[in-house]
Amino acid sequence: MNYTKVIGIGWDVGGWMGTNHGIAVCSWDTASKKVSWHGTPFETGLPDSGILSLDKLLSGSEIDENLLADNDTLTVIGIDAPLGFPAEFINLLNGQPSQIVKPEKEIFNPLAYRAADQEIYERFRKKPLSASFDRIGNNATLAIAHARRWERENNFTVYPTKIEEADMNRIIIEVYPALVKSRRDGDAAEWMIKHMPGNVFPGTDAYDACICALYAIALGSEGQLLPKLKRPPEHLKDLVMQEGWIYYFDLENEGIS
């Protein structure tokens, strides 16, 4: 990716009926190499139309879709919600025979957890909520519906994709803010908190939206500002194409604990 400016939009997803959607917008450019926050991160519910438009995400940020159309600008939306369901769960719903038996641990049940969820558990000993077994399915269906709409109407592409290396300048990724916090309502890690705005507080959806936005910036800054994000390993790529991937900071290769 060779862009002079990266716009990061963070969305901490609430449910269809909730008012706890956190939204934040920031940018980074190759000249200043600093994060600029645009507008005040805020919390909201879905509008009466039932859909969060791209304009709504950018509202109050003095950034509009004209800037997003600039070929030198990469725009990334970081979403804290599952953007896919387990492949085995989808197969089950589609009537395919299942050979699943009781797993040793719940995390290894392929009807409940994706390869990405299991990767997070193996690396961080944190277990993401299951889109098929837990209440996060509410948030997941909302996030997936929006991502597909933005793909169709605003030319975004949900990563990962088989053509991930192509020259795309509007990207959607799934992220997991909890991985950079010691506890649910705690501060972000020190290496990240220095880039956070001063008008948000830990334990709020707006705060987590800012973390999502920084994940988004990290995809485009490619290690120049924040640690690089971990792409799917080669042996999981085919499965990840079906289920989605949680982009996380590859801290081991950065020497950060």
Side-chain angles (χ1 to χ4, degrees), residues 190-218:
E190 288 186 13
W191 53 267
M192 175 178 272
I193 199 171
K194 62 183 179 182
H195 302 297
M196 295 281 284
N199 55 354
V200 292
F201 302 96
T204 65
D205 300 301
Y207 190 91
D208 281 359
C210 291
I211 295 176
C212 293
L214 288 174
Y215 270 98
I217 291 292

Side-chain angles (χ1 to χ4, degrees), residues 6-253:
V6 182
I7 296 172
I9 303 172
W11 181 21
D12 183 52
V13 182
W16 284 93
M17 306 307 295
T19 57
N20 57 335
H21 297 271
I23 297 171
V25 181
C26 63
S27 65
W28 172 89
D29 63 74
T30 55
S32 69
K33 298 191 181 300
K34 294 182 179 179
V35 174
S36 299
W37 290 92
H38 301 276
T40 301
F42 63 97
E43 296 165 6
T44 185
L46 293 183
D48 291 341
S49 65
I51 291 293
L52 282 169
S53 66
L54 185 60
D55 285 343
K56 177 65 174 177
L57 294 182
L58 296 172
S59 62
S61 69
E62 78 266 1
I63 291 177
D64 58 29
E65 198 163 351
N66 291 327
L67 178 58
L68 271 57
D70 190 332
N71 289 333
D72 292 330
T73 298
L74 171 68
T75 302
V76 184
I77 303 177
I79 296 179
D80 179 19
L83 292 179
F85 281 77
E88 288 290 349
F89 177 73
I90 294 171
N91 292 341
L92 185 71
L93 296 184
N94 288 336
Q96 297 184 28
S98 174
Q99 304 299 320
I100 307 303
V101 297
K102 180 181 177 180
E104 180 184 349
K105 292 183 177 181
E106 185 185 50
I107 186 66
F108 300 127
N109 187 336
L111 294 174
Y113 296 98
R114 302 168 295 165
D117 302 320
Q118 293 166 352
E119 167 89 358
I120 293 298
Y121 178 78
E122 294 287 356
R123 289 290 304 273
F124 301 97
R125 285 297 181 257
K126 290 191 176 184
K127 187 172 69 171
L129 292 174
S130 163
S132 54
F133 280 28
D134 295 318
R135 193 175 177 180
I136 196 68
N138 178 7
N139 306 50
T141 55
L142 186 145
I144 293 169
H146 277 76
R148 290 180 179 171
R149 185 182 183 110
W150 295 331
E151 283 188 306
R152 185 175 64 252
E153 297 182 359
N154 303 106
N155 299 315
F156 277 87
T157 298
V158 176
Y159 268 19
T161 170
K162 291 179 181 177
I163 50 175
E164 185 169 316
E165 300 306 318
D167 190 21
M168 301 175 184
N169 71 338
R170 296 189 184 195
I171 298 166
I172 298 170
I173 59 172
E174 178 182 340
V175 300
Y176 192 13
L179 295 180
V180 297
K181 299 191 295 183
S182 59
R183 63 180 191 275
R184 184 175 180 180
D185 60 349
D187 282 317
E190 288 186 13
W191 53 267
M192 175 178 272
I193 199 171
K194 62 183 179 182
H195 302 297
M196 295 281 284
N199 55 354
V200 292
F201 302 96
T204 65
D205 300 301
Y207 190 91
D208 281 359
C210 291
I211 295 176
C212 293
L214 288 174
Y215 270 98
I217 291 292
L219 186 78
S221 58
E222 288 287 357
Q224 297 181 64
L225 177 79
L226 293 159
K228 289 184 178 182
L229 297 183
K230 183 71 174 180
R231 263 62 167 191
E234 193 65 35
H235 72 281
L236 291 178
K237 279 195 173 180
D238 288 342
L239 185 55
V240 164
M241 289 303 131
Q242 302 176 59
E243 299 183 331
W245 180 252
I246 300 171
Y247 284 82
Y248 62 88
F249 289 103
D250 191 11
L251 302 182
E252 287 184 2
N253 288 333

